[in-house]
Amino acid sequence: AARLSGGENRLVSLPLSRIRVIMKSSPEVSSINQDALFLTAKATELFVQYLATYSYKHGRGKEKNALTYSDLSHTAEECETFQFLADILPKKILASKYLKMLEKEKRDGEVGEDDEEDEEEEDEDKTVDGDVGS
């Protein structure tokens, strides 16, 4: 493999200095080979390009002639290959819908807790009844 020195920055669009900082943030990494840095940058670039192309083709991008966040989040949610991005690219929802979801979860949680308490009380009643009969 031929070493690329000054011209290697032209082969990638991402800033190598930023990628180096991200790679060094891992505690297992002590030093970074220049070739590894370049290959990581190129692989990241190709991955982002593939994600964008896939999202554009399978989303509403063709209709609007644009790639939108919702196209990316839909791809992350629906495509098995990109499901690991679902937490990073969540679907956008309105704050009002989110608040309603939180209220519903809270109500469901309270109902679930009440059910558990009722079951515990029934168990205690059975135990007391059993002791009295002995």
Side-chain angles (χ1 to χ4, degrees):
R3 291 206 175 249
L4 303 170
S5 53
E8 93 182 5
N9 285 336
R10 294 184 193 138
L11 298 175
V12 292
S13 302
L14 299 172
L16 296 178
S17 60
R18 297 274 175 107
I19 293 172
R20 180 186 324 256
V21 168
I22 293 169
M23 290 174 75
K24 281 192 172 186
S25 69
S26 175
E28 295 90 28
V29 175
S30 58
S31 64
I32 300 168
N33 183 330
Q34 197 64 21
D35 291 337
L37 178 65
F38 172 76
L39 290 174
T40 302
K42 194 63 180 176
T44 304
E45 224 174 84
L46 292 172
F47 172 76
V48 170
Q49 182 181 10
Y50 179 66
L51 171 64
T53 303
Y54 186 93
S55 298
Y56 179 81
K57 287 180 181 177
H58 294 88
R60 286 183 259 146
K62 289 182 181 179
E63 299 168 10
K64 299 177 182 178
N65 201 23
L67 179 63
T68 63
Y69 179 87
S70 62
D71 293 335
L72 292 169
S73 65
H74 180 74
T75 297
E77 194 172 292
E78 299 299 322
C79 180
E80 189 175 329
T81 304
F82 298 111
Q83 280 185 347
F84 72 97
L85 295 172
D87 292 339
I88 299 168
L89 293 169
K91 285 197 172 201
K92 285 187 176 180
I93 60 171
L94 296 175
S96 58
K97 286 185 180 179
Y98 180 70
L99 291 173
K100 286 179 184 176
M101 283 174 37
L102 285 177
E103 287 177 15
K104 183 180 179 205
E105 286 179 9
K106 186 177 178 183
R107 277 182 280 152
D108 292 346
E110 288 174 359
V111 170
E113 290 173 6
D114 291 343
D115 291 344
E116 289 174 10
E117 289 174 6
D118 292 343
E119 289 174 7
E120 289 175 7
E121 289 174 5
E122 289 175 9
D123 290 342
E124 289 174 5
D125 291 343
K126 289 178 185 175
T127 305
V128 171
D129 291 341
D131 291 341
V132 172
S134 301

